[in-house]
Amino acid sequence: MDTLITIILDGLQYSSYLFIVSVGLTIIFGVMKILNVAHGSFYTWGAYTAAFFIGKFSDMGWPDAFGFVIILVSALVVGLVLGFIIERGILRFMYHRDEVLIVLATFGLFLVLDDIILLVFGVNPYFAFQPMMLLDSVPVAGVVRDVYGLSLIGLSAIIAFVCWFSLNRTKWGNLLKAVIFDRELSLAMGINVTGVYTVTFVLGAILGALGGAYIAPTVSVAPGFGVDIIVLSFAVVVIGGMGSVPGALIGAIIIGLLRAFAVHNFPEIELFVIFAVMAIVLVFRPEGLFAPVKQRTI
Amino acid sequence: MLNDRTSQALIAIMAFCAIAGAFIPDWIMNQMMFGFSRALAVLGLLVLWRTGLVSFGHALYFGLGAYTVALLDIYLGVSDAFLRLAASVLVSGGIGILLGYILRNYRDIFFAMLSLAFSMVLYGILVKTQALGSTDGFAVSAPSFIGYVPEGKYPLFLLICAVCAVSGLLVQTYLRSTLGKLTTAIRDNEVRVEYLGYSVAQAIHIKYVMSACLAGAAGAFMAMALGQVDPDSMVNWTASGELVFVTVLSGPGSVIAPFFGSLVFELLRTYAFELVPHAWQLIVGGTLMVIILFLPDGVWSLITKFRRPAK
Amino acid sequence: MSKQKKGEPILSVKGLQKEFGAIIAASDINIDVHEGEVIGIIGANGAGKTTFVNMVTGYLKPTSGEIDFEGKQLVGLPSREVTRAGISRSFQVSQVFITMTVYENLLTALAIAESPGLTMLKPMHRAELEQRCDEILERYQIAAYRDHVARALSQGVRKLLDIAMAVVSKPRILLLDEPTSGVSVEEKFGIMDIVMNALKADNVTVLFVEHDMEIVERYVSRVIAFYQGAIICDEPPKQALVDPKVREFVIGHSVVKGTKKNA
């Protein structure tokens, strides 16, 4: 019984952080048809920025609780700055190019941004445990859990709700859905598609950075940090359906729970099972579990 | 087979390298071995690219080739280079045939993602299995050549040059045949190819298996040239990314391009690493972006600009 | 090759039906085609003409019905096998290899048609193919555009290329889907003359989808009219063009040029 609770909570925690990172990726793909390898860079930059400043402010004597503010601000700043520069400065010259070629270009971008981190932050790892330590731990159904980890689940629930609400209950959401469905038609109807692209990309970047920033206090932030999350978020997005927010949620939950189950019972299959599921979904349902409806083209 | 300029040039270049190998310092020979090994995999990716397909998972076959060599060495004591090569090609070709049945029905981003998924399945298995080396990998003993155990790496170098020459020739012959010309036809208009009477799925399957065999041979040679195998540099998605990078760098213009592009990549990597160790990824990434944006036909297109267009 | 007695149809479509959910794109289509006929298929947009062509050539699978070609059942066969069996088609929107030249386009088509099995591994640029390629280019009068890249061709020339590529397999029946659509008025008759002469010389049975009644009148021996997925008329052109159903649902009631003397 203990193990089941542990598996479920571990799984949901992992799912939460996967979801926060992946939802930005899937929205960007849905709107702009770009699978952004450099999304991992937002994650990495968010983590490094948060870890760096949490350390600095802590040294200066600021209260640990301020760490949460730093996390949010880091995500916002990284998302805004990097997102804006990348979309306006590089991506917009590539929209007419082949999908796969754009992915390659974002791979190059990822390599560049990864190295810039080394140049800016150096090669030593950063530790910023303060916010996590602050929240202490609490027993849940007989198992002791970090409150910080539980807060991660709460955060992703909030983000999921905000996404759902924005997409389905606001005018902005309707605009976005129009652009997702048919870019040309949206242009013809007077929607500022360029503006939508920029805002979408920046929002996605902020979410990616938030994933990294929020996870930073729980790990050591060191070179090579973002490499794995990229393929994992690809797996989430593929399984859930590229461009679907509920898909990202379900995909993240599936992968998170699967992984937790594997880690506790069959540690050897932990990694391979995630990609096996990704392959299986691609083979039997390439559009993903929640694919947006496609029109007939012939 | 030898009556076109590209084939002749390829033979000449490989012959020259083979002979030069006896006189160049060891470190240059090593660079060339790494470069030419990788070039074999890129050659396969070139065929796929001409068909309009990009695989983000060819490290699967590269890794299969490399690990076949390592496992044969460690568990069965096989050190013969020819046996190792044959085994690697068989294993990667076999898996290629199987996975090809699935992949031949996919295009664009789905083809890329599915091939990525398959390669990460192998990565996941290798990394978590002690018996397969886990994250450390294995050391690989030096190859022997039908009994003869050489002092240095020159025989291996010769073998690599020979296989590169033969592979290049075979691919060139293939590309000039009708089946090979289907690469661009399929890329341009699949529906028309089907209506003209040939199965697009079958054509793609054949090309995929070819590229799998080439990548397997590439991995085998890399394992032997490096003397070791490990999952992160040979099977991880970043390894696949590297292969695709070299493919884009070389350009799809000619079967000689991969050899040229791979050497450029080796040089780039070595010097970037030496001069600016924490920025070599930046240089690689930046180069990739520049090529995609400004030189979409790769560095080979710079060379062909100064020659009369060949048939 | 023909097992048919003279007079028997070479192509027999029986009860062909195609439904997309609640939409009936083809409803109980029955057509017999005899050797040497030239048939014009007319109908408003969405009437089911292209759906018919797609089904006969294997691009779409009918919901039910039979397609009998010289004793062979075509339903369920993929397009490539239908082509190999002897039925080819051209496309409403020309389907060519846009990065290749006209010459390479045609050569590729020839190479595929003439290279069964392992001969696909022979070099594509070989004497016997290149000769036939030049002949076809002459026949369809596009030799002047030999080295032009397909992407840059005018509509008319592109259509001719599209059709030329369809005939390399020496089909017995050729389905042309709107061969003159998108082509300038001056070029229309020129193109049809070239095509129909070439096809007649090779004794190819032709069915073509067309909106321009003048063209239909000029070349066909029989008119089949579609409306909402069903055939509403199957008669020689003189009768078809004054048929009240055809006037109601296809061509309208204004006098059609050329039939004035028959009205």
Side-chain angles (χ1 to χ4, degrees):
Chain A
M1 192 54 187
D2 277 0
T3 337
L4 188 62
I5 298 284
T6 312
I7 291 179
I8 293 179
L9 286 174
D10 267 353
L12 285 179
Q13 248 171 252
Y14 195 67
S15 307
S16 302
Y17 116 91
L18 271 182
F19 172 70
I20 298 175
V21 178
S22 310
V23 71
L25 184 68
T26 207
I27 292 178
I28 290 177
F29 183 83
V31 174
M32 302 161 75
K33 306 294 178 270
I34 290 181
L35 199 56
N36 179 23
V37 178
H39 197 74
S41 302
F42 302 137
Y43 173 82
T44 314
W45 274 83
Y48 263 93
T49 311
F52 179 78
F53 283 108
I54 288 178
K56 280 271 174 284
F57 278 90
S58 182
D59 286 345
M60 292 196 295
W62 287 64
D64 285 349
F66 190 66
F68 288 96
V69 176
I70 294 180
I71 287 175
L72 280 167
V73 172
S74 303
L76 276 167
V77 170
V78 167
L80 272 165
V81 174
L82 273 187
F84 194 79
I85 294 178
I86 293 174
E87 199 274 330
R88 290 280 90 201
I90 300 171
L91 284 182
R92 78 167 159 136
F93 298 112
M94 304 206 58
Y95 290 145
H96 61 286
R97 305 289 295 272
D98 181 58
E99 243 179 10
V100 176
L101 223 50
I102 300 182
V103 178
L104 282 178
T106 59
F107 171 59
L109 190 55
F110 160 72
L111 291 175
V112 170
L113 289 171
D114 218 40
D115 255 8
I116 297 184
I117 286 229
L118 288 182
L119 297 173
V120 168
F121 291 103
V123 296
N124 295 316
Y126 286 83
F127 304 96
F129 297 129
Q130 292 83 337
M132 184 172 81
M133 295 285 114
L134 184 70
L135 289 185
D136 208 8
S137 20
V138 97
V140 173
V143 179
V144 176
R145 308 288 311 185
D146 290 320
V147 177
Y148 194 81
L150 296 173
S151 71
L152 187 60
I153 301 179
L155 177 65
S156 65
I158 295 175
I159 292 180
F161 177 74
V162 170
C163 284
W164 171 83
F165 189 83
S166 321
L167 279 174
N168 293 305
R169 293 277 184 276
T170 68
K171 194 172 101 167
W172 170 252
N174 280 333
L175 275 181
L176 213 65
K177 285 200 276 192
V179 176
I180 290 178
F181 191 71
D182 194 323
R183 177 177 184 261
E184 248 186 273
L185 202 57
S186 305
L187 266 174
M189 309 225 80
I191 295 178
N192 179 5
V193 171
T194 324
V196 168
Y197 274 26
T198 310
V199 173
T200 305
F201 195 78
V202 168
L203 280 175
I206 292 175
L207 284 169
L210 182 59
Y214 210 83
I215 208 81
T218 67
V219 294
S220 82
V221 179
F225 186 65
V227 174
D228 297 326
I229 194 68
I230 295 177
V231 268
L232 285 172
S233 50
F234 276 17
V236 168
V237 162
V238 159
I239 291 175
M242 298 202 265
S244 160
V245 171
L249 187 60
I250 302 293
I253 292 178
I254 292 178
I255 293 189
L257 288 174
L258 252 180
R259 183 182 170 272
F261 179 76
V263 164
H264 284 274
N265 294 303
F266 308 105
E268 311 84 34
I269 68 169
E270 175 205 333
L271 257 190
F272 127 84
V273 75
I274 294 175
F275 296 107
V277 171
M278 179 182 176
I280 290 173
V281 170
L282 272 172
V283 170
F284 291 106
R285 230 193 124 93
E287 306 290 306
L289 299 175
F290 284 82
V293 178
K294 265 217 172 117
Q295 309 168 271
R296 265 190 68 193
T297 43
I298 40 153
Chain B
M1 214 198 256
L2 287 174
N3 61 351
D4 75 296
R5 282 226 310 261
T6 309
S7 299
Q8 289 158 357
L10 183 63
I11 302 276
I13 292 172
M14 283 302 157
F16 174 73
C17 289
I19 298 173
F23 306 103
I24 52 179
D26 267 355
W27 70 271
I28 296 187
M29 189 165 74
N30 276 331
Q31 294 292 340
M32 291 179 73
M33 283 200 290
F34 301 151
F36 284 169
S37 301
R38 200 185 314 273
L40 278 176
V42 174
L43 189 59
L45 286 175
L46 180 152
V47 173
L48 284 178
W49 196 17
R50 282 201 184 187
T51 319
L53 297 166
V54 178
S55 162
F56 282 174
H58 255 54
L60 169 65
Y61 301 107
F62 192 82
L64 280 172
Y67 270 78
T68 302
V69 169
L71 292 175
L72 279 179
D73 185 25
I74 303 215
Y75 290 109
L76 292 178
V78 174
S79 71
D80 185 73
F82 298 99
L83 272 180
R84 286 173 167 182
L85 180 64
S88 294
V89 171
L90 272 170
V91 168
S92 14
I95 303 285
I97 292 177
L98 288 175
L99 294 182
Y101 277 108
I102 303 175
L103 277 162
R104 69 196 218 168
N105 299 312
Y106 290 78
R107 305 287 183 272
D108 301 324
I109 200 76
F110 296 102
F111 181 86
M113 285 291 112
L114 188 52
S115 48
L116 172 68
F118 285 140
S119 74
M120 289 308 287
V121 167
L122 178 66
Y123 179 75
I125 295 176
L126 289 174
V127 157
K128 295 278 173 197
T129 312
Q130 261 318 109
L132 295 176
S134 183
T135 42
D136 298 320
F138 297 113
V140 172
S141 67
S144 62
F145 297 81
I146 318 188
Y148 164 57
V149 181
E151 280 281 308
K153 293 216 169 123
Y154 189 53
L156 180 62
F157 179 73
L158 283 179
L159 180 61
I160 293 179
C161 288
V163 171
C164 283
V166 169
S167 304
L169 281 182
L170 286 175
V171 172
Q172 174 69 355
T173 311
Y174 176 78
L175 288 176
R176 293 179 71 217
S177 74
T178 310
L179 194 55
K181 291 285 182 194
L182 285 185
T183 47
T184 29
I186 291 174
R187 188 198 63 201
D188 277 0
N189 200 323
E190 270 189 45
V191 171
R192 193 78 218 219
V193 174
E194 284 280 342
Y195 262 100
L196 285 171
Y198 198 80
S199 163
V200 168
Q202 182 175 80
I204 289 179
H205 198 170
I206 295 174
K207 296 170 203 316
Y208 186 73
V209 174
M210 269 177 60
S211 70
C213 293
L214 284 167
F221 281 137
M222 189 61 104
M224 290 193 266
L226 262 179
Q228 66 163 67
V229 300
D230 77 278
D232 266 301
S233 68
M234 294 179 166
V235 192
N236 201 0
W237 69 273
T238 42
S240 294
E242 238 175 43
L243 287 176
V244 177
F245 168 57
V246 181
T247 310
V248 172
L249 178 70
S250 314
S254 155
V255 293
I256 303 184
F259 299 101
F260 186 68
S262 303
L263 283 181
V264 170
F265 178 71
E266 279 308 316
L267 282 170
L268 190 70
R269 210 198 354 207
T270 311
Y271 283 108
F273 208 79
E274 269 188 35
L275 294 172
V276 278
H278 295 312
W280 88 266
Q281 267 193 154
L282 195 152
I283 296 178
V284 168
T287 312
L288 180 58
M289 282 165 57
V290 164
I291 300 248
I292 291 180
L293 282 168
F294 302 113
L295 204 61
D297 286 328
V299 292
W300 186 253
S301 61
L302 287 175
I303 296 191
T304 53
K305 261 203 185 109
F306 300 107
R307 282 175 30 197
R308 282 170 292 125
K311 186 159 190 194
Chain C
M1 195 156 67
S2 171
K3 289 179 273 189
Q4 256 65 14
K5 292 199 305 262
K6 215 176 160 94
E8 265 187 36
I10 54 173
L11 177 70
S12 197
V13 176
K14 298 194 187 84
L16 210 59
Q17 187 92 2
K18 182 65 183 172
E19 286 153 32
F20 295 103
I23 299 175
I24 301 179
S27 167
D28 195 32
I29 307 288
N30 293 284
I31 301 179
D32 280 340
V33 178
H34 296 84
E35 196 175 0
E37 283 193 278
V38 179
I39 301 177
I41 300 178
I42 63 177
N45 283 324
K49 313 184 298 293
T50 302
T51 307
F52 170 70
V53 173
N54 283 342
M55 284 194 285
V56 170
T57 55
Y59 190 70
L60 271 182
K61 191 148 188 265
T63 314
S64 61
E66 282 175 25
I67 304 173
D68 210 300
F69 176 59
E70 299 188 322
K72 198 170 173 176
Q73 257 307 316
L74 293 186
V75 174
L77 289 185
S79 329
R80 58 179 182 271
E81 305 221 9
V82 174
T83 304
R84 297 251 180 227
I87 300 184
S88 287
R89 75 170 289 181
S90 75
F91 296 82
Q92 191 173 337
V93 177
S94 309
Q95 299 295 324
V96 296
F97 302 124
I98 53 174
T99 64
M100 301 188 199
T101 64
V102 168
Y103 185 72
E104 286 167 343
N105 264 270
L106 206 48
L107 194 62
T108 306
L110 267 168
I112 297 176
E114 307 260 322
S115 311
L118 281 175
T119 57
M120 285 284 265
L121 290 169
K122 281 169 75 170
M124 195 172 87
H125 287 260
R126 53 185 190 271
E128 64 266 25
L129 291 183
E130 304 198 299
Q131 212 175 352
R132 229 194 120 202
C133 193
D134 284 321
E135 277 168 21
I136 299 179
L137 284 175
E138 286 294 336
R139 183 81 78 73
Y140 283 84
Q141 301 188 23
I142 49 176
Y145 301 91
R146 199 180 189 275
D147 295 317
H148 291 218
V149 176
R151 184 187 270 131
L153 296 174
S154 71
Q155 274 286 47
V157 177
R158 214 193 269 218
K159 286 263 168 184
L160 285 169
L161 176 60
D162 185 284
I163 297 172
M165 284 167 77
V167 303
V168 299
S169 54
K170 302 197 179 118
R172 294 208 65 202
I173 298 182
L174 183 60
L175 293 128
L176 302 171
D177 198 350
E178 299 198 32
T180 67
S181 81
V183 173
S184 65
V185 174
E186 304 87 45
E187 284 183 284
K188 276 194 190 225
F189 280 101
I191 287 175
M192 283 308 283
D193 274 343
I194 295 173
V195 171
M196 297 310 290
N197 287 334
L199 294 173
K200 206 167 197 181
D202 286 330
N203 196 26
V204 181
T205 308
V206 184
L207 289 86
F208 66 87
V209 175
E210 186 53 69
H211 283 295
D212 187 330
M213 293 306 142
E214 281 187 55
I215 298 213
V216 170
E217 265 193 293
R218 170 121 122 180
Y219 297 102
V220 309
S221 55
R222 185 174 152 200
V223 171
I224 298 179
F226 275 74
Y227 178 66
Q228 292 191 343
I231 294 180
I232 57 171
C233 170
D234 187 348
E235 287 165 357
K238 287 200 175 78
Q239 284 88 314
L241 291 175
V242 295
D243 184 304
K245 288 199 297 280
V246 173
R247 296 207 129 188
E248 177 74 40
F249 297 119
V250 184
I251 60 180
H253 291 280
S254 55
V255 175
V256 176
K257 252 205 292 183
T259 59
K260 212 171 178 189
K261 47 188 189 275
N262 310 306

